[in-house]
Amino acid sequence: VQRADALLDEFNPRGGSGKQDLSVGMPEGLARDLLPVLASQYASKYPLGRLNIKIGLSASIEKWIENSEVDVGVLYGFDRGGDPRFIRDVLVTERLCAVAAADYASNALPGIAQDFEFSRLALHPLVLTSPANGVRRALDRVGQEVGVAIRSRLEVDSFSMLLDVVRQKRGVTV
């Protein structure tokens, strides 16, 4: 909450006619947590302003930033070292977890509620986002670092749809 408020203080939104408008691009998963806080703080700070939230994958958000389609983009594990258009600042640190339907988890993933080795993911049918998603890129990067091939059986570029597929017991997601 404090970091979102500091971001608003640092950023000078586009304005006109006394309004303060801000366009923010962010992934769906982050929007679920950040949007209520950001919307509330923005409304109290800029009562005449309009907050526009664009939901997309990391690759889309990068393009929106490059093309000035959004004022601010929030990305997972983003690093554009040296590019002056991009500022890297850690806003949120998340712990990733494997998600499976309850009965699948109890039978196929004993101890899923606990920490387990990354390599165990490769033993299960994975339902993941495409490599354009920042979390997927992080999974692929860690897989390369530890020598584990991460292969998805199904790729869906929507957080809510991933959860629906998992509920249908078609695989495990992260």
Side-chain angles (χ1 to χ4, degrees):
V1 173
Q2 291 172 340
R3 187 62 193 119
D5 194 39
L7 177 63
L8 292 176
D9 287 339
E10 291 171 16
F11 184 75
N12 183 14
R14 286 185 258 186
S17 306
K19 287 187 169 186
Q20 298 293 323
D21 296 340
L22 177 66
S23 177
V24 180
M26 66 177 66
E28 183 181 7
L30 278 177
R32 289 177 184 272
D33 295 329
L34 293 179
L35 182 56
V37 173
L38 185 60
S40 173
Q41 289 187 0
Y42 194 81
S44 68
K45 194 167 203 94
Y46 303 104
L48 299 177
R50 179 181 57 88
L51 180 62
N52 174 270
I53 304 295
K54 290 182 75 165
I55 304 298
L57 299 176
S58 297
S60 298
I61 297 167
E62 286 178 45
K63 287 180 183 157
W64 297 339
I65 294 167
E66 289 172 353
N67 297 331
S68 300
E69 295 176 47
V70 295
D71 298 310
V72 177
V74 181
L75 300 164
Y76 284 109
F78 182 75
D79 190 6
R80 270 285 183 96
D83 188 331
R85 295 172 300 171
F86 298 92
I87 299 169
R88 183 169 190 220
D89 197 359
V90 177
L91 298 177
V92 177
T93 301
E94 294 181 308
R95 200 176 153 125
L96 298 180
C97 59
V99 179
D103 53 347
Y104 181 88
S106 62
N107 294 327
L109 292 168
I112 188 131
Q114 325 261 323
D115 287 343
F116 65 94
E117 288 189 33
F118 184 84
S119 61
R120 289 184 53 198
L121 280 177
L123 303 175
H124 302 282
L126 295 176
V127 180
L128 302 170
T129 58
S130 71
N133 180 280
V135 171
R136 171 63 184 275
R137 286 189 278 195
L139 288 174
D140 290 342
R141 186 174 49 252
V142 171
Q144 285 181 334
E145 289 171 5
V146 298
V148 174
I150 298 297
R151 286 187 294 261
S152 58
R153 288 183 48 196
L154 175 64
E155 292 180 347
V156 180
D157 286 331
S158 165
F159 182 71
S160 58
M161 291 300 296
L162 277 177
L163 294 180
D164 286 345
V165 171
V166 166
R167 281 186 201 98
Q168 296 167 9
K169 302 174 194 161
R170 298 194 186 274
V172 175
T173 193
V174 177

